[in-house]
Amino acid sequence: MKSPLTPAVVDSPENPSQISTLCGRNGKRVWIAAWFCIGIILIYFDSTIQPYLMAFGHDPTMRSIAEHWQDLGATLGIVSFLIVGLVASRRDHYQTFITFALAISAAGAAVQIVKHLIGRARPDSVHDQTHFYGPFGMLYHGPKIQMDSMPSGHTTAAFAMAVALAYHWPRLAPLWFFLAAGVAVARTLVNRHFPSDVVVASGFGTVIGWAICAARAHHVAKLHVVSQENSED
């Protein structure tokens, strides 16, 4: 019986199932557009929802769980990256390592640019969900107010990694996305993000993950064509 941790065959002209499932269907694009719309609409309800989340976060047990779970989008995510790298020493895991590395790198770089362009104050800095200062807010308010709340970097990285892992280990996809969703919830419970921040970030991270998977599939397909041409020669 094939192990769930045995990576699926990377997409090729003979095996397009993974990329068509994760990256290529119009329905996925509609879903992600709707998800971003929900995140934007949710901005107007953040101040109503946030107190309830903070109440859960004040519970010592829940707070401890949230503080550890959120690290899946940061410290533990990097540790996971290293573990995948070690596993990739096996030849059949090499493609998994490359996809994972690209996903986490792209997510980290993109989210830092976007969140500083938006310039939204964090909930533990202000109590008004409408505080959007833009890219130059720091010039007026200084470092006392952190203006990098939307989108959540931890959540973006977690969902990008979840897509990359689901691409190669699709049978474990529910686990990867459950862990990523836990990161999103944890970031609100510790009062570092508004609900809309993590909703937008989950969509953003998913898009980045899909883009990396699509690019990887295209690259592998080109290599397959070149290999066939060389073999015919």
Side-chain angles (χ1 to χ4, degrees):
M1 184 175 179
K2 196 174 183 180
S3 168
L5 288 176
T6 301
V9 178
V10 177
D11 293 294
S12 67
E14 287 78 21
N15 184 45
S17 58
Q18 297 301 316
I19 199 63
S20 63
T21 299
L22 283 173
C23 307
R25 293 180 180 174
N26 289 332
K28 295 293 191 300
R29 298 170 188 170
V30 172
W31 179 88
I32 206 66
W35 197 248
F36 277 119
C37 289
I38 291 171
I40 293 171
I41 293 171
L42 197 58
I43 292 171
Y44 298 98
F45 300 96
D46 278 337
S47 60
T48 302
I49 301 171
Q50 191 72 10
Y52 294 100
L53 294 171
M54 288 178 61
F56 279 109
H58 285 319
D59 178 79
T61 302
M62 187 64 69
R63 179 87 183 186
S64 178
I65 293 172
E67 287 177 346
H68 286 87
W69 202 313
Q70 68 178 350
D71 284 340
L72 285 172
T75 307
L76 291 180
I78 302 301
V79 172
S80 301
F81 171 79
L82 296 175
I83 291 173
V84 171
L86 291 174
V87 173
S89 60
R90 290 177 49 190
R91 181 170 184 154
D92 56 346
H93 287 279
Y94 175 72
Q95 296 295 341
T96 305
F97 173 70
I98 295 297
T99 307
F100 191 85
L102 290 172
I104 195 172
S105 301
V111 75
Q112 289 302 317
I113 294 172
V114 172
K115 66 163 53 191
H116 286 94
L117 287 175
I118 293 175
R120 187 185 197 184
R122 289 183 181 266
D124 54 2
S125 297
V126 296
H127 298 289
D128 185 346
Q129 80 277 11
T130 61
H131 276 69
F132 287 85
Y133 297 99
F136 303 109
M138 188 70 73
L139 298 178
Y140 297 100
H141 298 278
K144 63 180 180 179
I145 297 180
Q146 290 183 290
M147 285 167 274
D148 57 353
S149 190
M150 177 182 278
S152 162
H154 287 68
T155 306
T156 300
F159 273 86
M161 289 188 287
V163 172
L165 292 171
Y167 176 66
H168 288 279
W169 293 312
R171 283 179 290 179
L172 293 177
L175 172 61
W176 310 136
F177 285 101
F178 172 75
L179 294 173
V183 172
V185 174
R187 293 300 281 166
T188 61
L189 293 181
V190 298
N191 200 33
R192 291 297 285 160
H193 287 284
F194 293 106
S196 59
D197 295 339
V198 298
V199 171
V200 170
S202 63
F204 190 43
T206 301
V207 167
I208 292 172
W210 282 348
I212 293 299
C213 290
R216 288 288 299 150
H218 179 70
H219 175 69
V220 170
K222 285 181 65 176
L223 291 178
H224 181 79
V225 171
V226 171
S227 177
Q228 278 192 327
E229 290 175 348
N230 290 338
S231 64
E232 290 174 358
D233 292 339

